Amino acid sequence: MCSKQIAAVTKQIKKYAADTLSSGRFEHSLRTAKLCRKLCERFLLDGQLGFLAGLSHDLCKGCPDEELLALAAKDGFPVSALEAGKPSLLHGRAAAVRIAERFGVDNPDVLDAVSWHTFGRKGLCPVGRALFIADKIEPGRKGISKTMRKETLALDFDEMTVRVIRDNIIWLGKTGKIVAPETLAMLRDIEDSLAHRPAGRQTGEAG
C-alpha cells in the first residue's frame, strides 16, 4: 500500500468506525491512533500505518460472539482456550479480517498489529508493539496517571514495552483476570533482548 492508498483507506475506516462504534469507543480509537502514530514516528516507523492500525484495532469490539468466532476462524490461527471461553478477546483478530475483507487492507504490519493488540505475542512487529503500548496508555485510559504515562513514554522502545506489559499484568491480577501465555512470551522475549543488549545502547531512537 502506497501513502495515497493508506490515506484513502484510513478515511474510509474512520467513517466506518464513527458510524458503527459507540462514541466512547470511537474516541478511544482516535486517541490510540494518534499516540500510535507518534510512537511510530519517534521510533522511525511508518506513522501512517500506525494511525491506521490504531483506528482499526477496536472495529469489532461490539460484535456478537458468533461473529467474532466466524471472523477469527479465517485468519489461520487456532482459537485458544482463553479466547474460546471469552470470545470478546477475539475482537482484534476479527478486526484484522474485517479490514482485509471489507477495505482491502493487505499491509502485514497493520494486520499483525490489529490482530494481536490485546495480548501481544512473541515476534510482534514494531508497529504492533507501538499499538499495544498506545492502546494501554492512551490519555483517556483509566488507571493510568499522567506521571506514570510520562515516565513510560520517556523510556526507549524495549523498556517501554516491558513497562507496559508488566503494568498490564499487575492490572489483570488485581481484576482477577488471566494473563495470556502470548503476553508472557512477549515479555520474556523482550526481557531477554534487554539482558543481552550492550551497556548504554538504546533501541529505536533516531540518530
Side-chain angles (χ1 to χ4, degrees):
M1 297 174 71
C2 68
S3 178
K4 188 175 181 179
Q5 290 172 320
I6 296 170
V9 78
T10 298
K11 184 177 181 179
Q12 294 170 3
I13 290 176
K14 185 176 181 180
K15 183 180 186 307
Y16 180 79
D19 290 344
T20 59
L21 297 176
S22 67
S23 59
R25 181 62 54 186
F26 178 64
E27 291 302 322
H28 160 72
S29 297
L30 279 179
R31 291 191 300 267
T32 299
K34 290 174 182 178
L35 180 53
C36 188
R37 177 173 60 196
K38 183 177 180 180
L39 290 171
C40 284
E41 290 171 349
R42 173 182 168 189
F43 296 121
L44 308 182
L45 305 171
D46 190 319
Q48 267 193 305
L49 295 181
F51 188 87
L52 175 57
L55 194 63
S56 304
H57 79 287
D58 273 356
L59 281 183
C60 291
K61 187 73 172 180
C63 292
D65 291 352
E66 296 78 11
E67 186 175 0
L68 293 172
L69 287 163
L71 285 168
K74 299 179 181 181
D75 69 5
F77 293 94
V79 173
S80 69
L82 181 59
E83 292 168 327
K86 189 177 181 181
S88 62
L89 294 171
L90 290 165
H91 71 274
R93 290 173 56 183
V97 173
R98 173 140 294 164
I99 62 174
E101 291 184 342
R102 190 180 185 102
F103 300 100
V105 176
D106 60 2
N107 182 278
D109 286 349
V110 172
L111 297 177
D112 192 41
V114 173
S115 290
W116 306 110
H117 76 269
T118 302
F119 296 151
R121 68 179 179 90
K122 181 179 178 180
L124 182 63
C125 72
V127 173
R129 284 173 56 183
L131 176 57
F132 181 87
I133 293 166
D135 180 42
K136 301 297 189 289
I137 68 168
E138 57 92 353
R141 177 70 77 174
K142 294 180 180 179
I144 306 294
S145 68
K146 290 183 179 180
T147 299
M148 181 185 294
R149 185 177 294 105
K150 183 177 180 180
E151 290 175 349
T152 301
L153 291 174
L155 301 172
D156 72 32
F157 202 21
D158 283 346
E159 292 168 340
M160 190 186 303
T161 309
V162 167
R163 170 71 180 268
V164 170
I165 295 173
R166 288 175 176 168
D167 287 346
N168 187 237
I169 288 173
I170 292 171
W171 177 81
L172 289 170
K174 288 180 178 178
T175 55
K177 296 179 181 178
I178 297 172
V179 180
E182 294 88 347
T183 306
L184 295 174
M186 181 166 72
L187 176 61
R188 287 193 296 268
D189 184 54
I190 299 173
E191 285 181 330
D192 183 65
S193 176
L194 280 169
H196 293 88
R197 195 168 77 185
R201 178 185 169 192
Q202 292 194 335
T203 63
E205 297 287 4

